[in-house]
């Protein structure tokens, strides 16, 4: 009957699992790129076991700002990128610690690693070693300049932080204004984007494994990732030989922040059709066919003359008023929001862009959600970032079947 079918559908919906349910990830990670990658996998349902150094753990545990309640304080950056994970405190520099790590690899699907290039190979824990004990293993390595054999460059063994990748991919050269030094974008963008690209690579490798039964090495270089993000610079130089300049586009105008009565509005006019719409809204129809403004190239050349006309129309309007008029007439714009305004945004709330994570020690805080929704999957889990070594005993006893006596001995010798 229809009622029975509806009940059956309801029951099946209640049993739907996350996309990576049943996938086990071992995370040899620190700082941002590795943790963000494995967090995406954890949000998708994977069991992520984060390997941390006994005593200190991931360096981000000690980097401010801190959430604090009473005498307990926790690093916000660590809380933000390590939700839904388990923490195993393990000294992988010791022989006993390496044995535990290898035991975990035998029952794992994925290893995510972003340690300094060469460090895991020196310990005998590189991909060539691990694939021998688990041929189905997918080993994802995040580095500054790449590590896959046959693709090494002169910088392959160098360490890197996000700003280095931004600089060497050409991005920093384009951020800011021509009369000022190059600037970075937002803190950690290269790390976050590299984490996302790596998660995408892992998904491809998992899909291939379904077909071939074999694992593989996933090589994710921060430089490569940022260069792919800077695709327009690559295209422009390849086609025209032009080197783009900071704060200046030669082929279009307006594009940027324009001041209203109560803040700034982001405006972009990519073509002549959009320019015609803008001119009609601001009652400047004569600019539609004016030789100084009828094409993007002409507008870019006369931006000093055109900018005040737009600003004059905006100066007596609120962002909301200007936004409504322009959007209603087919000119997409948006207000430039502060952090406070983002948290109050009804659109962000509707999209559940900020999720609440309740930490048992320092209270509830909101962090950015994984940015993709799936229509047939439940909402992402919201377990707080683990305390250092919180799941050590559980992992060793439940997954590896270590006895209480063996675990106690490992603790005694500071292996865990």
């Amino acid at each position: 009957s229809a009622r029975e079918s509806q009940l059956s559908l309801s029951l099946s919906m209640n049993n739907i699992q996350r996309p990576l349910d049943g996938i086990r990830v071992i995370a040899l990670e620190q700082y941002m790129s590795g943790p963000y990658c494995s967090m995406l996998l954890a949000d998708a349902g994977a069991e992520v076991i984060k390997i941390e150094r006994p005593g200190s753990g991931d360096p981000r545990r000690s980097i401010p700002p801190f959430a604090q309640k009473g005498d307990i304080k926790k690093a916000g950056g660590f809380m933000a990128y390590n939700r839904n994970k388990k923490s195993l405190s393990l000294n992988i520099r010791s022989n006993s610690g390496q044995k535990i790590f290898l035991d975990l690899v035998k029952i794992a699907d994925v290893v995510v690693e972003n340690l300094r290039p060469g460090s895991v190979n020196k310990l005998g824990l590189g991909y060539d070693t691990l694939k021998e004990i688990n041929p189905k293993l997918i080993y994802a390595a995040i580095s500054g300049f790449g590590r896959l054999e046959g693709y090494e460059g002169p910088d392959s063994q160098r360490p890197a932080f996000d700003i280095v990748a931004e600089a060497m991919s050409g991005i920093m050269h384009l951020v800011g204004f021509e009369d000022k030094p190059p600037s970075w974008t937002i803190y950690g963008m290269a790390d976050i984007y590299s984490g996302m690209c790596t998660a995408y690579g892992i998904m491809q490798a998992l899909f291939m494994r379904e077909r071939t039964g074999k694992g593989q090495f996933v090589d994710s270089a921060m430089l490569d990732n940022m260069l792919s993000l800077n695709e327009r610079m690559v295209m422009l130089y390849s086609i025209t030989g032009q080197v783009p300049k900071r704060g200046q586009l030669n082929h279009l105008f307006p594009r940027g922040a324009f001041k209203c009565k109560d803040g700034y509005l982001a405006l972009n006019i990519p073509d002549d059709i959009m320019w015609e719409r803008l001119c009609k809204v601001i009652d400047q129809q004569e600019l539609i066919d004016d030789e100084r403004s009828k094409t993007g190239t002409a507008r870019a050349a006369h931006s000093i003359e055109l900018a005040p006309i737009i600003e004059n129309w905006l100066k007596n309007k609120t962002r909301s008023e200007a936004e409504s008029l322009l959007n209603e007439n087919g000119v997409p714009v948006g207000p430039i929001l502060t952090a406070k305004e983002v948290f109050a945004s009804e659109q962000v709330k509707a999209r559940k862009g900020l999720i609440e994570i309740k930490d048992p020690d320092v209270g509830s805080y909101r962090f950015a959600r994984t940015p993709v929704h799936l229509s047939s999957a439940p909402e992402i889990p919201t377990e707080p970032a683990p305390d250092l070594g919180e799941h050590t005993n559980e992992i060793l006893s439940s997954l590896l079947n270590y006895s209480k006596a063996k675990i106690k001995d490992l603790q005694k010798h500071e292996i865990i």
Side-chain angles (χ1 to χ4, degrees):
S1 68
R3 182 177 178 182
E4 288 172 336
S5 298
Q6 187 175 8
L7 178 60
S8 176
L9 177 62
S10 176
L11 289 171
S12 65
M13 288 292 287
N14 289 333
N15 290 326
I16 286 177
Q17 299 171 326
R18 298 297 302 167
L20 294 184
D21 184 72
I23 297 295
R24 180 172 293 129
V25 178
I26 309 301
L28 272 178
E29 59 183 24
Q30 58 184 0
Y31 292 109
M32 294 176 70
S33 61
Y36 190 79
C37 171
S38 66
M39 184 199 75
L40 294 177
L41 303 178
D43 283 358
E47 177 189 22
V48 175
I49 298 174
K50 183 181 179 75
I51 307 295
E52 299 193 73
R53 182 180 301 172
S56 57
D58 187 326
R60 287 213 92 195
R61 286 186 181 273
S62 60
I63 298 176
F66 296 102
Q68 188 161 359
K69 188 174 182 180
D71 295 331
I72 301 176
K73 67 177 184 178
K74 296 185 177 181
F78 184 86
M79 295 169 67
Y81 300 147
N82 290 282
R83 62 176 179 251
N84 298 320
K85 301 180 188 180
K86 297 177 179 179
S87 172
L88 170 62
S89 178
L90 181 66
N91 179 9
I92 61 169
R93 294 184 180 278
S94 68
N95 291 333
S96 297
Q98 291 172 13
K99 172 66 168 58
I100 293 171
F101 180 77
L102 294 175
D103 284 345
L104 283 171
V105 167
K106 291 175 184 176
I107 57 172
D109 298 281
V110 179
V111 167
V112 174
E113 178 256 299
N114 73 321
L115 305 184
R116 183 174 178 138
S119 59
V120 289
N121 290 331
K122 289 178 183 177
L123 295 172
L125 302 177
Y127 175 63
D128 287 341
T129 299
L130 303 188
K131 70 179 181 181
E132 294 301 319
I133 64 173
N134 184 353
K136 291 187 174 183
L137 183 71
I138 291 159
Y139 189 109
I142 306 174
S143 62
F145 303 100
R147 288 159 48 182
L148 182 64
E149 185 177 349
Y151 291 85
E152 304 100 324
D155 299 322
S156 291
Q157 296 304 309
R158 287 174 51 182
F161 280 116
D162 62 319
I163 195 171
V164 176
E166 285 196 8
M168 296 179 68
S169 64
I171 285 180
M172 278 186 68
H173 177 73
L174 300 177
V175 179
F177 296 93
E178 191 176 9
D179 60 342
K180 291 183 172 58
S183 179
W184 43 277
T185 56
I186 61 172
Y187 182 84
M189 185 177 77
D191 290 306
I192 299 302
Y193 188 63
S194 291
M196 190 171 288
C197 289
T198 309
Y200 168 61
I202 290 168
M203 296 293 192
Q204 292 183 76
L206 284 169
F207 188 68
M208 285 184 69
R209 193 179 72 172
E210 289 296 307
R211 296 174 166 183
T212 67
K214 297 178 181 179
Q216 61 181 297
F217 185 78
V218 176
D219 181 30
S220 179
M222 293 170 69
L223 175 62
D224 300 355
N225 298 329
M226 296 310 288
L227 184 60
S228 73
L229 195 60
N230 201 13
E231 183 276 334
R232 187 186 171 279
M233 178 204 76
V234 174
M235 177 276 295
L236 188 64
Y237 186 76
S238 179
I239 298 297
T240 69
Q242 293 180 18
V243 177
K245 297 179 181 179
R246 285 188 298 285
Q248 179 182 338
L249 293 172
N250 294 325
H251 70 293
L252 67 83
F253 181 85
R255 176 183 169 85
F258 290 83
K259 193 171 185 180
C260 298
K261 220 166 41 168
D262 60 346
Y264 288 87
L265 202 68
L267 176 64
N268 177 48
I269 301 298
D271 56 38
D272 300 335
I273 296 173
M274 206 74 69
W275 174 248
E276 181 176 343
R277 293 175 186 171
L278 175 65
C279 289
K280 290 178 179 177
V281 175
I282 66 175
D283 198 23
Q284 295 288 336
Q285 287 89 336
E286 67 277 7
L287 295 177
I288 296 172
D289 295 317
D290 191 307
E291 291 299 323
R292 295 167 299 176
S293 57
K294 67 185 300 183
T295 67
T297 304
R299 291 191 292 275
H302 295 89
S303 60
I304 294 176
E305 305 159 51
L306 295 171
I309 297 173
I310 299 169
E311 290 165 351
N312 188 58
W313 182 80
L314 288 169
K315 69 180 182 181
N316 294 319
K317 294 178 177 61
T318 65
R319 290 179 303 176
S320 179
E321 291 169 344
E323 183 183 7
S324 295
L325 282 169
L326 290 166
N327 283 338
E328 287 168 4
N329 286 276
V331 183
V333 295
I336 296 175
L337 303 182
T338 64
K340 184 177 181 179
E341 290 170 327
V342 168
F343 270 63
S345 166
E346 292 301 323
Q347 179 63 28
V348 172
K349 290 177 183 176
R351 293 291 298 170
K352 296 183 179 179
L354 300 174
I355 57 172
E356 185 176 11
I357 304 292
K358 297 179 181 179
D359 187 280
D361 298 316
V362 294
S364 296
Y365 292 90
R366 284 184 285 172
F367 299 105
R369 183 194 184 282
T370 301
V372 175
H373 292 274
L374 299 178
S375 64
S376 295
E379 189 49 85
I380 66 171
T382 55
E383 292 297 318
D387 291 335
L388 178 58
E390 180 179 341
H391 303 91
T392 300
N393 286 358
E394 171 195 327
I395 291 166
L396 297 184
S397 61
S398 299
L399 289 184
L400 302 183
N401 296 316
Y402 284 13
S403 67
K404 289 183 180 180
K406 185 172 183 177
I407 293 173
K408 189 174 181 179
D409 186 63
L410 290 168
Q411 291 171 334
K412 178 182 176 181
H413 290 89
E414 299 183 342
I415 306 302
I416 58 174

